[in-house]
C-alpha cells in the first residue's frame, strides 16, 4: 500500500504523507523533476556532494523551497556517513550546509523544537525517517540505510527526542519515507549476518528472503517499523510510505537502479507553517 500524496506547484512536483497532512506539519520529499541540474543529476538534485554544479543545486533549493513553502535560509542540512550521530539544532544553525559553512560533520540525524528551523536529509534508496511530537512540539529527521537500520537509527532518534525535549514515545508520529523495497533490495550474506545478530530469530522470516543464488531480499521498511515499535512508538502512529525509489526510478533518484550515477532526493520537515 502506498501512503503518499503527489503535489505540484510552479512545475515542481513533491511528495507529502497522509499522517503529517492530517497533523498539519510542514513536510515534503523532492522528486527528480522540477530542477535545473544536468546529466545524471537531472533535474532536481538537492545535494552538493554529487559532483553537480554548485549554482544549479542552489537554484534547485530555491525552487523546491518556493514550491513547498518554506524559507531556504532556515534550512539545516545533514552530513550523512551511515552512522547514528544525531544533533539538536536551533535557529543559530540556520543556513548550515546551504548558504554558509557547516560544522555538522558526520551527522545522519537532526532534531529540533525551534519553529524557525527546517530540517533536511538526503536519500536515494536509503530510508528517510521523519518524526513529529505534537505534544512537545518537536521534530526529527534521520537517514537510515542498512547500516543505520541495524544500528537502530530510528530508536536512537526517539531516545534523543526524549532526552532533549522530554518527548514521550507514545506521543510521537513517524513516517518511513520513500526508499528501496524488499523486492528491489538484494544483499549479500554478510549484511544478513549483521541483522541475524541484532534481531531475534522469530523476526527473520519477515525481514528477508533467501534466493537460490545465496543472495537475500532485505526489507528495510519492516526492520525500521519493528525497531520504532520496540522504541515505544504505537503501531498506529508509524506510517510506511510504501513507495519504492528503485521501482519508481523514472521519477525518483535510485542508487541501485542507476549503479550510483544519480542525484540525491531530499526530505524536509519543520514546525514553521508554510509561507
Amino acid at each position: 500500500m502506498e501512503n503518499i500524496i503527489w503535489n505540484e506547484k510552479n512545475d515542481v512536483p513533491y511528495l507529502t504523507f497522509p499522517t503529517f497532512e492530517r497533523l498539519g506539519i510542514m513536510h515534503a520529499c523532492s522528486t527528480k523533476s522540477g530542477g535545473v541540474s544536468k546529466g545524471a543529476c537531472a533535474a532536481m538534485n538537492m545535494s552538493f556532494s554529487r559532483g553537480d554544479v554548485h549554482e544549479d543545486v542552489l537554484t534547485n533549493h530555491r525552487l523546491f523551497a518556493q514550491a513547498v513553502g518554506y524559507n531556504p535560509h532556515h534550512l539545516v542540512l545533514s552530513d550523512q556517513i551511515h552512522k547514528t550521530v544525531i544533533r539538536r539544532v536551533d535557529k543559530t544553525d540556520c543556513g548550515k550546509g546551504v548558504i554558509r559553512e557547516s560544522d555538522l560533520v558526520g551527522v545522519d540525524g537532526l532534531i529540533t523544537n525551534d519553529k524557525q528551523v527546517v530540517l533536511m536529509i538526503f536519500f536515494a534508496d536509503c530510508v528517510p525517517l521523519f518524526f513529529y511530537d505534537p505534544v512537545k512540539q518537536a521534530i526529527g529527521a534521520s537517514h537510515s540505510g542498512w547500516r543505520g537500520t541495524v544500528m537502530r537509527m530510528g530508536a536512537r532518534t526517539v531516545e534523543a527526542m526524549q532526552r532533549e525535549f522530554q518527548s514521550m514515545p507514545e506521543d510521537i508520529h513517524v513516517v518511513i519515507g520513500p526508499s528501496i523495497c524488499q523486492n528491489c533490495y538484494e544483499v549479500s550474506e554478510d549484511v544478513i549476518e549483521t541483522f541475524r545478530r541484532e534481531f531475534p530469530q522469530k523476526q527473520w522470516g519477515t525481514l528477508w528472503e533467501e534466493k537460490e543464488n545465496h543472495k537475500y531480499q532485505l526489507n528495510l521498511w519492516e526492520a525500521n517499523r519493528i525497531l520504532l515499535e520496540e522504541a515505544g512508538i504505537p503501531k498506529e502512529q508509524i506510517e510506511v510510505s510504501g513507495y519504492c525509489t528503485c521501482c519508481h526510478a523514472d521519477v525518483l533518484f535510485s542508487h541501485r537502479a542507476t549503479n550510483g550515477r544519480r542525484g540525491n532526493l531530499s526530505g524536509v520537515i519543520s514546525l514553521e507553517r508554510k509561507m
Side-chain angles (χ1 to χ4, degrees), residues 6 9 35 56 69 84 94 104 106 108 114-115 138 148 172 194 206 217 228 234 263 270:
W6 277 89
K9 184 177 180 181
D56 287 351
T84 58
C94 285
L104 301 171
D108 279 72
D114 192 323
K115 292 183 179 180
I172 299 174
T194 64
T206 64
Q217 302 295 142
L228 289 164
S270 179

Side-chain angles (χ1 to χ4, degrees), residues 117-251:
V117 172
V118 182
L119 305 179
M120 177 175 280
I121 57 172
F122 304 97
F123 59 102
D125 282 344
C126 290
V127 181
L129 301 172
F130 304 97
F131 303 77
Y132 175 45
D133 176 358
V135 176
K136 297 297 185 180
Q137 284 295 294
I139 54 172
S142 296
H143 161 261
S144 186
W146 75 259
R147 292 177 179 84
T149 298
V150 85
M151 291 188 288
R152 291 172 160 76
M153 183 53 159
R156 300 289 88 83
T157 308
V158 173
E159 292 166 3
M161 293 178 71
Q162 288 180 277
R163 181 176 63 250
E164 295 294 332
F165 312 125
Q166 293 72 56
S167 291
M168 301 296 289
E170 58 265 30
D171 294 329
I172 299 174
H173 296 257
V174 185
V175 169
I176 298 172
S179 41
I180 196 165
C181 73
Q182 182 175 9
N183 288 340
C184 292
Y185 196 37
E186 183 181 274
V187 299
S188 57
E189 188 162 6
D190 61 322
V191 173
I192 295 301
E193 272 304 312
T194 64
F195 279 80
R196 286 194 181 110
R197 291 193 294 268
E198 296 299 326
F199 287 82
Q201 188 170 356
K202 65 181 180 180
Q203 295 173 343
W204 294 357
T206 64
L207 292 179
W208 61 79
E209 295 180 6
E210 186 173 1
K211 301 175 66 178
E212 292 182 0
N213 62 358
H214 303 296
K215 298 287 187 177
Y216 298 80
Q217 302 295 142
L218 179 59
N219 190 339
L220 290 180
W221 297 349
E222 179 64 9
N224 278 282
R225 191 198 64 75
I226 288 171
L227 295 173
L228 289 164
E229 259 196 85
E230 290 179 351
I233 308 297
K235 183 177 182 178
E236 63 273 13
Q237 291 172 203
I238 303 171
E239 182 173 85
V240 180
S241 70
Y243 201 68
C244 176
T245 45
C246 191
C247 289
H248 299 285
D250 56 330
V251 293

Side-chain angles (χ1 to χ4, degrees), residues 93-114:
D93 298 295
C94 285
K96 287 183 176 179
V98 186
I99 59 172
R100 63 187 178 112
E101 289 290 322
S102 178
D103 58 355
L104 301 171
V105 179
V107 174
D108 279 72
L110 299 166
I111 59 173
T112 191
N113 64 349
D114 192 323

